[in-house]
Amino acid sequence: MKIITNEKNSLLATPTYHIDFPQPADFSRLLTVWEASVRATHHFVPEEKIKLLKTLIQEQELFQKSELFCVRDLVGEVAGFAGVAGDSLDMLFLDPSIIGTGAGKTLIRYAIDVKGITRVDVNEQNDQARGFYEHFGFKVIGRSETDDNGQPFPLLHMRRIIDDLRPI
């Protein structure tokens, strides 16, 4: 962790995140982070849909079926996580308290540099996520009217075009 000061010269701790891998004991925490992240960033998803998705994640053990990696907070709990399948980023969720602290950057850099992802789908209504992925070289290449479950949440299909990249 590095220490920085703000404009009032108060000491602020800026965490340095490292990639880790969730263990079975972390799965309930993953669900907690997922729900908090969705509530903070997916304002367009109604409450009943969040509850349904949460139940599906639990019943189908979706976190156990994905290739996940995570970052942890200072007490060792999962604070953010991502999952990939092939060259696609399937998910990236952060506890709202760490959004903007570098955790998302750590996760996406690992997904790009180590896992070799070049694709991601993002909800069209989630401008913050779209901007985040654009910052890392992803560009919109297509659009779907519905999400992967056929629900009316349009998706933007993004691809990272290697030839167009500048150093990040």
Side-chain angles (χ1 to χ4, degrees), residues 51-62:
K51 289 179 181 177
L52 175 65
L53 289 171
K54 184 176 178 180
T55 300
L56 287 173
I57 290 168
Q58 291 171 308
E59 289 176 355
Q60 297 179 13
E61 298 181 335
L62 295 179

Side-chain angles (χ1 to χ4, degrees), residues 17-21 67-71 80-94 102-121 132-133 136-138 159-160 162 165 168:
Y17 296 99
H18 303 282
I19 295 297
D20 197 7
F21 302 93
E67 188 177 347
L68 299 179
F69 46 96
C70 66
V71 294
F81 66 97
V84 299
D87 69 345
S88 181
L89 180 69
D90 283 348
M91 62 184 90
L92 193 156
F93 295 101
L94 299 173
K105 179 180 181 178
T106 299
L107 291 167
I108 194 71
R109 291 291 348 154
Y110 183 82
I112 292 167
D113 297 341
V114 177
K115 295 299 185 180
I117 65 131
T118 58
R119 298 180 305 127
V120 65
D121 287 344
F132 174 79
Y133 294 122
F136 289 96
F138 290 86
R159 182 175 228 64
R160 192 165 187 262
I162 307 301
L165 294 182
I168 298 174

Side-chain angles (χ1 to χ4, degrees), residues 4-10 12:
I4 60 170
T5 59
N6 65 12
E7 57 277 354
K8 297 177 184 175
N9 284 330
S10 301
L12 298 174

Side-chain angles (χ1 to χ4, degrees), residues 11 27 31-32 39 47 50 58 66 72 84 86 88 90 92-93 99 131 156:
L11 290 179
F27 289 138
L31 190 60
T32 299
R39 290 183 184 285
E47 180 65 26
I50 293 172
Q58 291 171 308
S66 295
R72 296 183 184 272
V84 299
S88 181
D90 283 348
L92 193 156
F93 295 101
I99 292 174
L156 298 175

